[in-house]
Amino acid sequence: MDLIPAPRQMERAEGFYELGDGFGIEAGPGTEDVARRLRGTLGAATGLALPPKKGDEHDVLHLSVQPGLDSVEYRLVVAPHGVHIQGGSPAGVFWGAQTLRQLLGPDAFRRAPLPGRTWRLPLTEIRDSPRFRWRGLMLDVARHFMPKDGVLRYLDLMAAHKLNVFHFHLTDDQGWRIEIEKYPRLTEVGSWRARTKFGHRASPLWEEKPHGGYYTRNDIREIVAYAAERHIAVVPEIDVPGHSQAAIAAYPELGNTDVTTASIEGGTVLSVWDTWGISPNVLAPTDNTLRFYEGVLEEVLELFPSEFVHVGGDECLKDQWRRSPTAQERIRELGLRDEDELQAWFIGHFDKWLTARGRRLIGWDEILEGGLADGAAVSSWRGYAGGIAAARAGHDVVMCPEQQVYLDHRQHAGADEPVPIGYVRTLEDVYRFEPVPPQLTSDEARHVLGTQANLWTEVMEDQARVDYQAFPRLAAFAEVAWSRLPAPAERDFADFEHRMATHYRRLDALGVAYRPPTGPRPWQRRPGVLGRPIDGPPPNR
């Protein structure tokens, strides 16, 4: 049956259940949305109407919420007399429906039926539930903008792989992607750059045309609602105090104006950054900046109902703060020791601000420097060390180490690999990734909320390039995040590869431009475009 991710428990019986023209759905209380989604997906692929039916009729898929199951657990039974999906909640029923779709075969992922196709399910019983509550994908739309339809498509791909947290990286030096009514210049100015570096920042190549775009407030509402229908939480990221050049370009008073006007870009107006790396232009630690971003976050909270709000906090170069009389006066005024503590104060302000509004702050592991904000959670990206330190201090952690699950890193050492970045991370490498470090005690390990794969898009200029970097590795990551796998060295990668042979056909049906096992197709290559490959195995720290 080649299911991905692999279920916790599965028993196969001889025979099949064939879906006839009269096959319908009985939607118990709380499962009506799942039934509607099945009619939209399976109905389109199979050509079956899937009408509402009652339990005493024949040819029925029974959907029900069963309080005796864990909240996201499901039980799927295909028996000679009918099909049942039970879940501990509507989310559990939804994840069971994703498994049902896989059982029908790859053509069940198409948008219209193929002629002459018959539909049948293997007689089986599956009991399943996820290992982690946070099974995430981070998509960077700041470096290269992805139009709304592409975002909705990725939510569908996440749902098909049982991923449930969409980390939406909306702002950075190279672009501001969310409409804020109170500050219109964030999108009028901050959402467009004049040109774009093609390849790594050392590349001599440029795309000499403007690049940009943003999501309106209604676009965001649509994305959030679309995700919610698929039981996916959308966690917005608004970067502070670094990675903020696009915001400063729109509102220069947010920057360290006491040191930048004479030394940055010859005193000219700062523009949205057109290259990659870490910009030295960071937010000024002033009351004006705090009030400005409170205004931004007020609108963000209105649009995003998620428990967590991500504030970045990574790669904040502090040279401007060291030279800024205003920043140095703030350090003295607050009784801080240095610029690291100034950043901790900055993050701590928004931690308290979000907590007072019933939300939780999460940031990259640099927020540990200078003292971790109370109640904050950590995205551990510079390896495992930050996550270990945070968990030991009693803070929740999402494990997303760069060396393991940054999917912008290259998939092979071959010369044909397009724009090779970072370490080689093969499909097998991702499959053997373990989110919970063995150094943690069982009590400390409970702070690991889960794991997340990250797609940074500096060298991904369009949706096809994002697909290439994400797949098939995202399928391996999804199994790591969902399934209770043995220790990395003991995982049966040969079995996973065998199941992937079927899964590639699902990806074909979904129109995913994945990297084939034999290497990139001719049109997926980028000959002559400079990357930044790193040789040798990545550090496991």
Side-chain angles (χ1 to χ4, degrees):
M1 292 182 282
D2 299 336
L3 300 177
I4 291 177
R8 185 183 74 208
Q9 181 182 340
M10 179 169 58
E11 296 179 11
R12 175 77 164 90
E14 291 296 325
F16 292 88
Y17 178 94
E18 189 161 319
L19 280 62
D21 290 338
F23 187 76
I25 300 175
E26 179 192 29
T31 70
E32 297 86 357
D33 287 345
V34 180
R36 182 167 55 84
R37 288 283 307 130
L38 284 171
R39 292 188 182 99
T41 54
L42 292 187
T46 63
L48 300 174
L50 305 177
K53 283 201 166 186
K54 295 181 179 179
D56 55 354
E57 299 182 60
H58 297 291
D59 297 329
V60 179
L61 166 60
H62 307 271
L63 306 177
S64 61
V65 173
Q66 298 291 329
L69 300 175
D70 290 341
S71 63
V72 287
E73 182 180 10
Y74 71 88
R75 180 172 176 260
L76 191 160
V77 179
V78 182
H81 59 276
V83 185
H84 298 259
I85 302 176
Q86 302 170 338
S89 68
V93 177
F94 179 81
W95 301 126
Q98 305 314 303
T99 301
L100 177 75
R101 194 179 181 192
Q102 290 198 14
L103 290 176
L104 282 168
D107 288 340
F109 290 83
R110 297 189 180 277
R111 296 185 183 181
L114 300 182
R117 183 75 162 80
T118 59
W119 300 96
R120 63 181 192 173
L121 292 163
L123 300 182
T124 187
E125 179 173 350
I126 295 171
R127 291 197 69 151
D128 199 11
S129 60
R131 180 185 178 191
F132 292 111
R133 62 170 279 204
W134 186 302
R135 307 179 303 280
L137 175 69
M138 190 286 303
L139 179 63
D140 166 23
V141 296
R143 273 51 176 268
H144 278 101
F145 178 66
M146 181 177 285
K148 180 191 66 178
D149 285 353
V151 174
L152 300 179
R153 173 177 175 267
Y154 257 83
L155 292 169
D156 281 333
L157 292 171
M158 288 179 64
H161 291 83
K162 298 187 174 76
L163 299 174
N164 72 332
V165 177
F166 180 55
H167 176 167
F168 206 7
H169 184 82
L170 288 163
T171 73
D172 217 296
D173 299 310
Q174 295 85 3
W176 185 283
R177 305 292 179 219
I178 177 173
E179 178 187 23
I180 302 296
E181 286 186 337
K182 189 173 184 179
Y183 304 118
R185 286 178 58 83
L186 287 172
T187 46
E188 291 170 0
V189 174
S191 69
W192 289 92
R193 57 179 182 263
R195 62 176 186 168
T196 298
K197 176 70 73 172
F198 196 66
H200 182 253
R201 62 179 176 272
S203 168
L205 304 176
W206 293 89
E207 186 180 41
E208 296 285 354
K209 67 178 184 180
H211 176 86
Y214 66 92
Y215 309 102
T216 67
R217 289 165 59 85
N218 281 338
D219 289 339
I220 294 294
R221 291 185 179 102
E222 180 182 355
I223 288 167
V224 170
Y226 196 87
E229 289 178 347
R230 289 146 184 81
H231 296 274
I232 295 171
V234 183
V235 175
E237 180 176 353
I238 306 295
D239 264 302
V240 297
H243 286 289
S244 298
Q245 183 164 325
I248 298 169
Y251 291 92
E253 65 272 20
L254 297 174
N256 296 280
T257 55
D258 53 353
V259 297
T260 57
T261 50
S263 60
I264 300 298
E265 298 194 3
T268 61
V269 175
L270 198 65
S271 61
V272 177
W273 218 22
D274 58 11
T275 190
W276 318 126
I278 308 174
S279 170
N281 293 290
V282 303
L283 298 174
T286 63
D287 290 343
N288 175 66
T289 301
L290 298 181
R291 300 294 88 77
F292 183 96
Y293 274 86
E294 287 171 1
V296 168
L297 289 173
E298 283 171 356
E299 296 193 27
V300 168
L301 296 191
E302 178 191 340
L303 295 169
F304 294 93
S306 56
E307 174 185 0
F308 289 95
V309 174
H310 207 292
V311 298
D314 62 314
E315 297 179 326
C316 178
L317 299 180
K318 300 181 175 68
D319 292 343
Q320 289 183 354
W321 286 357
R322 293 186 184 98
R323 303 195 325 269
S324 163
T326 301
Q328 293 302 310
E329 174 58 29
R330 175 124 277 186
I331 289 173
R332 287 190 292 272
E333 168 193 317
L334 296 170
L336 306 176
R337 287 182 295 184
D338 54 22
E339 291 76 19
D340 285 344
E341 287 197 355
L342 184 60
Q343 176 169 337
W345 165 81
F346 199 106
I347 297 296
H349 173 86
F350 288 104
D351 178 48
K352 296 182 181 69
W353 190 91
L354 288 167
T355 298
R357 289 155 181 80
R359 306 297 185 93
R360 294 184 64 188
L361 178 145
I362 185 168
W364 303 109
D365 56 52
E366 283 94 333
I367 67 173
L368 290 161
E369 296 167 3
L372 184 60
D374 291 341
V378 170
S379 300
S380 186
W381 76 273
R382 293 180 299 177
Y384 289 96
I388 292 170
R392 286 176 172 169
H395 293 272
D396 288 338
V397 178
V398 175
M399 285 293 185
C400 49
E402 174 187 18
Q403 304 86 345
Q404 312 298 329
V405 288
Y406 267 35
L407 300 185
D408 51 315
H409 283 208
R410 57 190 174 138
Q411 304 182 62
H412 192 273
D416 286 337
E417 205 64 27
V419 200
I421 299 294
Y423 296 99
V424 172
R425 291 287 84 191
T426 66
L427 182 66
E428 181 172 1
D429 291 329
V430 174
Y431 190 67
R432 297 192 188 280
F433 164 61
E434 172 49 48
V436 180
Q439 300 96 315
L440 296 180
T441 66
S442 58
D443 285 342
E444 292 165 347
R446 292 190 183 96
H447 286 290
V448 179
L449 299 177
T451 184
Q452 178 173 290
N454 293 342
L455 282 165
W456 300 104
T457 61
E458 288 94 334
V459 298
M460 301 179 215
E461 71 276 11
D462 55 29
Q463 178 178 284
R465 281 286 292 124
V466 176
D467 278 6
Y468 179 91
Q469 293 299 136
F471 290 98
R473 293 182 296 180
L474 193 65
F477 173 80
E479 185 149 310
V480 169
W482 177 279
S483 306
R484 288 164 174 79
L485 299 176
E490 299 168 10
R491 293 176 188 173
D492 190 347
F493 181 68
D495 172 72
F496 178 77
E497 272 193 310
H498 173 80
R499 288 181 282 125
M500 277 301 300
T502 299
H503 200 67
Y504 285 120
R505 293 169 56 207
R506 296 182 190 120
L507 297 178
D508 287 333
L510 287 163
V512 176
Y514 59 84
R515 182 191 190 275
T518 54
R521 297 180 173 96
W523 56 87
Q524 292 174 322
R525 300 168 188 165
R526 295 291 185 274
V529 181
L530 186 66
R532 185 182 61 90
I534 304 174
D535 294 327
N540 192 24
R541 61 177 186 271

